[in-house]
Amino acid sequence: MILNIDESWLPYLNHEFNKPYFNDLLDFVKTEYTTKTCYPPEHEIFNAFNACSFSDVKVVIIGQDPYHGYNQANGLCFSVNDGIKHPPSLVNIFKEIEADLGVLYPKSGNLLRWAKQGVLLLNATLTVREHEAGSHQKKGWETFTNAVIKQLSNNKTNLVFLLWGGYAKQKTKLIDVKKHHVLTSGHPSPLSANRGFWFGNKHFSKTNYLLEQASQLPVTW
């Protein structure tokens, strides 16, 4: 695995790279990418960090796994490459933005435009085997991304964490809620959204309000 990560993150994460679990994780991922088809492409595994420097982070969205279909995943949670059909969860995210902010539904599902504005799009597990959801879970990625969340919580203030669904909500325990804002709702997947747990959460307008209250620029969603 190519450990290419923006240097702004190194002071906060270097100690993780030297731990035994991370070396085991590197070996696992290297073997998987050598012997199986995995996503995202190896050079995009750390895209979330390379698209959004540590100093720029102001919003954190936490997903679970990368998409496991051909050419979908690009290292940013919920995001797909340009020209790729929008997965159901992303469709519902865009529908909520449209209802919340009056923003027209976009053609591209590539959320790099959000990352460039300080939105860290972090999957708890950064890699996956093709067509096998969850195949790289419990191999060490969660330990690493939990450490990322803790470092952000400890070293920054007034971040807005968007935790969608039961899995993401569990990350609340890693966050100092006295320093940061945590917005929770159901997951945007159809199963949750169609039962009334997603639509109407207004997380995008709420996030921008909180950012403006902290004298930061709102996100152009």
Side-chain angles (χ1 to χ4, degrees):
M1 182 171 68
I2 304 169
L3 192 56
N4 61 327
I5 188 166
D6 184 82
E7 62 181 14
S8 68
W9 290 88
L10 298 183
Y12 307 97
L13 299 179
N14 260 335
H15 59 288
E16 294 297 317
F17 300 147
N18 295 319
K19 292 181 178 179
Y21 87 85
F22 199 85
N23 288 323
D24 291 342
L25 173 62
L26 287 179
D27 290 341
F28 168 77
V29 172
K30 181 180 179 180
T31 299
E32 284 286 289
Y33 272 73
T34 301
T35 60
K36 305 283 195 307
T37 299
C38 298
Y39 300 117
E42 190 171 354
H43 68 278
E44 293 183 335
I45 291 173
F46 294 100
N47 243 13
F49 304 93
N50 294 326
C52 183
S53 70
F54 187 91
S55 60
D56 287 343
V57 177
K58 56 187 181 184
V59 179
V60 182
I61 299 177
I62 297 174
Q64 191 164 359
D65 254 7
Y67 296 123
H68 51 80
Y70 174 72
N71 202 32
Q72 286 182 304
N74 60 13
L76 309 175
C77 73
F78 294 106
S79 174
V80 291
N81 288 312
D82 291 324
I84 297 297
K85 181 181 177 181
H86 301 176
S89 291
L90 185 57
V91 169
N92 287 337
I93 288 171
F94 287 152
K95 284 182 176 178
E96 176 59 24
I97 292 172
E98 194 170 23
D100 185 14
L101 298 171
V103 176
L104 291 177
Y105 191 102
K107 291 182 179 180
S108 173
N110 193 334
L111 303 182
L112 180 62
R113 59 187 183 274
W114 294 3
K116 293 297 186 182
Q117 298 177 74
V119 181
L120 180 68
L121 296 160
L122 181 68
N123 275 315
T125 302
L126 298 188
T127 57
V128 70
R129 198 180 301 156
E130 184 176 42
H131 303 317
E132 293 186 43
S135 51
H136 287 187
Q137 291 178 6
K138 299 180 181 178
K139 301 296 184 181
W141 277 131
E142 296 92 338
T143 302
F144 174 69
T145 53
N146 281 349
V148 171
I149 295 167
K150 288 179 183 178
Q151 288 293 329
L152 288 165
S153 177
N154 292 342
N155 292 286
K156 296 182 76 75
T157 57
N158 284 317
L159 294 179
V160 182
F161 288 86
L162 303 182
L163 308 183
W164 301 333
Y167 181 85
K169 290 176 185 176
Q170 294 175 19
K171 305 300 181 180
T172 304
K173 64 181 180 289
L174 306 172
I175 302 163
D176 185 345
V177 296
K178 295 178 181 178
K179 293 170 58 182
H180 305 286
H181 309 282
V182 177
L183 301 181
T184 63
S185 79
H187 196 275
S189 65
L191 181 65
S192 173
N194 294 339
R195 292 167 59 195
F197 300 126
W198 166 256
F199 291 115
N201 65 29
K202 297 187 181 297
H203 275 191
F204 305 96
S205 60
K206 289 176 181 177
T207 294
N208 281 350
Y209 172 78
L210 291 168
L211 291 174
E212 289 173 328
Q213 291 296 107
S215 300
Q216 297 195 72
L217 289 174
V219 176
T220 301
W221 300 104

